[in-house]
Amino acid sequence: MALLCWKTEYSIGVMSVDEEHRELLDLINVLYERMDARSSRSEIETSLGDIHKAITIHFTHEEDLMSQSGYDEFEEHQRDHADLLEQLGSLMDEFARDPVAGSCRLQEQMSSWFLQHFA
């Protein structure tokens, strides 16, 4: 069962961005499934790398769209993106140092991290 499910309220009405959000949600669910199945450290690190790559691409895409449209809160949103990437990097580092403790933190943080992006 998926930890996160797509809800219509997550949609912003830009098809490409909504698709990326769905992809991120799916990648986070794969990570949770791997952790629940006690998959290898390598498989979990692969999931984390996939999430980081997808989020980096997504944030660049979002920021390009915001810049092109003259979005009033562009700089604030850009800072939020940087903060979220830093948080993800910290979670990845923690997992690399101590997979057991890192897994616990990942399970606590990933869904709230994703939902924070929509806030």
Side-chain angles (χ1 to χ4, degrees), residues 7-118:
K7 297 179 183 178
T8 55
E9 66 234 34
Y10 296 158
S11 178
I12 65 163
V14 177
M15 188 182 310
S16 60
V17 174
D18 289 340
E19 272 304 310
E20 289 172 354
H21 285 161
R22 284 186 192 101
E23 177 187 346
L24 291 170
L25 188 141
D26 290 343
L27 289 171
I28 291 169
N29 284 334
V30 167
L31 172 66
Y32 274 103
E33 289 168 7
R34 285 182 172 174
M35 287 189 297
D36 285 346
R38 299 188 187 274
S39 295
S40 71
R41 179 179 180 159
S42 174
E43 289 176 308
I44 293 171
E45 287 175 340
T46 296
S47 283
L48 288 168
D50 292 345
I51 291 168
H52 190 273
K53 179 181 175 182
I55 285 171
T56 300
I57 292 167
H58 169 65
F59 285 172
T60 299
H61 179 220
E62 265 192 359
E63 290 170 9
D64 286 346
L65 291 174
M66 286 185 277
S67 178
Q68 291 170 11
S69 69
Y71 183 62
D72 291 338
E73 298 175 21
F74 172 74
E75 290 178 7
E76 181 181 340
H77 206 88
Q78 193 175 36
R79 282 190 301 274
D80 289 343
H81 284 170
D83 289 345
L84 288 170
L85 280 171
E86 185 177 325
Q87 290 172 22
L88 178 58
S90 293
L91 290 170
M92 292 170 75
D93 290 344
E94 186 172 346
F95 180 81
R97 281 190 308 276
D98 182 350
V100 174
S103 289
C104 291
R105 283 254 306 136
L106 283 168
Q107 288 181 333
E108 293 169 0
Q109 297 295 313
M110 286 305 293
S111 62
S112 63
W113 183 89
F114 177 81
L115 297 174
Q116 181 183 359
H117 176 65
F118 287 105

